[in-house]
Amino acid sequence: MSPRSTTGPIALLPMYDWPECRVATDALWQALASALMGAGFDAPGHLTRSDRPLNDLWTAPELLLGQTCGLPYVRDLAGRVQLVATPAYTLPDCAPGHYCSRIIVRHDAKTGDIQDLRGKTAAINGWNSQSGFVALAAMTPGWNPAHYFGKLELSGGHLASLQAVATGQADVAAIDAVSFALAERHLPDLTGRVRVLTSSPETPGLPLITAKGFSADQVELIQAVVQDVLSAPGTRAARAELLINGAVAVTDRTYDPIRDMAAETGRAA
């Protein structure tokens, strides 16, 4: 059971697919694939990992399950994909299904608050990132980081932004809270060279999506499978490695706060 495809179904979970987490990510996918096949879906045996642009994969008609970021969803994907759920990550300061960004500076920086960073260099992981760009923009007066910071450096990824702050190439960066927690676990030498200055307000978490061609009943069934597997005792070990503690159903309206933040950032720019 899948939308018409000539290449077979695909699945991807790229947002936290670190080498250190790949065994757990693959184990979780095997549990999801087995449950989806049991529900009548044609599920791929392995996750897709390729150089093909993520936007092409997210909008592919053969997509069974994928994960994207809230900002690409509201800017590019709404109406072209269907929402399934968002994982609930073990972030003690965020409600289930939500996350935030850690605003970091060097561990020895004299920075006391965000006001001390005026004119400094900020590392931005990507312009289409809620957690790495818009969350930081929202912390600046007038939502305009280009006018507030002295320089914006495009790093290309959260770990690269973390590295830039740790080595002094940048003074501040906004790091997705899940990424920062994973880095604390797997890269303590790196996170030990920075400190969290503050955290951004929480926003809806990174959505799991499926192809536009599935029926409403099929999407509801995929959602039920995801919620079951992401809270099942049998996946507890893999989920613990990935900081996942369940899943929360979402709709397009769930992402209105990110839509509003993106609009505010656009007006400022």
Side-chain angles (χ1 to χ4, degrees):
M1 180 164 60
S2 65
R4 183 174 299 175
S5 168
T6 59
T7 61
I10 61 173
L12 61 152
L13 299 172
M15 306 313 292
Y16 304 112
D17 193 24
W18 298 13
E20 297 86 351
C21 304
R22 194 153 288 179
V23 170
T25 302
D26 286 338
L28 188 62
W29 172 249
Q30 290 305 314
L32 284 163
S34 178
L36 286 163
M37 286 189 289
F41 292 93
D42 184 13
H46 302 282
L47 291 167
T48 294
R49 295 183 175 104
S50 73
D51 294 331
R52 187 176 168 187
L54 280 176
N55 204 62
D56 289 351
L57 293 168
W58 287 330
T59 56
E62 59 268 31
L63 178 69
L64 177 60
L65 191 68
Q67 188 176 29
T68 184
C69 176
L71 191 58
Y73 170 73
V74 301
R75 281 183 171 173
D76 304 318
L77 302 177
R80 303 171 67 195
V81 300
Q82 299 190 78
L83 292 167
V84 174
T86 183
Y89 292 98
T90 52
L91 300 172
D93 52 343
C94 294
H98 288 68
Y99 78 136
C100 65
S101 296
R102 307 304 184 199
I103 311 303
I104 62 164
V105 296
R106 271 186 59 87
H107 70 95
D108 56 356
K110 304 303 181 185
T111 309
D113 56 41
I114 201 80
Q115 301 301 319
D116 296 331
L117 292 166
R118 184 182 292 274
K120 302 292 187 180
T121 297
I124 307 298
N125 70 318
W127 307 118
N128 205 28
S129 172
Q130 167 63 30
S131 55
F133 173 56
V134 173
L136 186 60
M139 307 290 284
T140 64
W143 291 64
N144 199 326
H147 286 182
Y148 187 74
F149 296 112
K151 188 177 183 181
L152 297 178
E153 288 281 0
L154 186 64
S155 72
H158 280 301
L159 286 183
S161 293
L162 208 164
Q163 181 77 29
V165 175
T167 58
Q169 296 175 328
D171 300 293
V172 61
I175 309 296
D176 166 2
V178 178
S179 293
F180 192 77
L182 290 172
E184 286 184 307
R185 176 182 292 175
H186 295 291
L187 303 168
D189 290 344
L190 183 59
T191 56
R193 296 157 67 187
V194 304
R195 64 181 172 88
V196 176
L197 178 66
T198 187
S199 294
S200 71
E202 63 180 58
T203 57
L206 286 69
L208 295 166
I209 58 174
T210 192
K212 184 70 174 173
F214 284 110
S215 70
D217 287 344
Q218 288 175 315
V219 174
E220 187 175 334
L221 186 53
I222 295 171
Q223 182 185 88
V225 168
V226 166
Q227 290 181 305
D228 181 60
V229 171
L230 295 194
S231 60
T235 61
R236 184 177 290 119
R239 291 188 291 108
E241 285 295 317
L242 300 170
L243 306 176
I244 295 174
N245 190 31
V248 176
V250 293
T251 68
D252 183 73
R253 294 294 301 273
T254 301
Y255 290 90
D256 280 351
I258 291 179
R259 193 171 276 116
D260 294 342
M261 292 177 75
E264 190 69 33
T265 304
R267 282 192 290 269

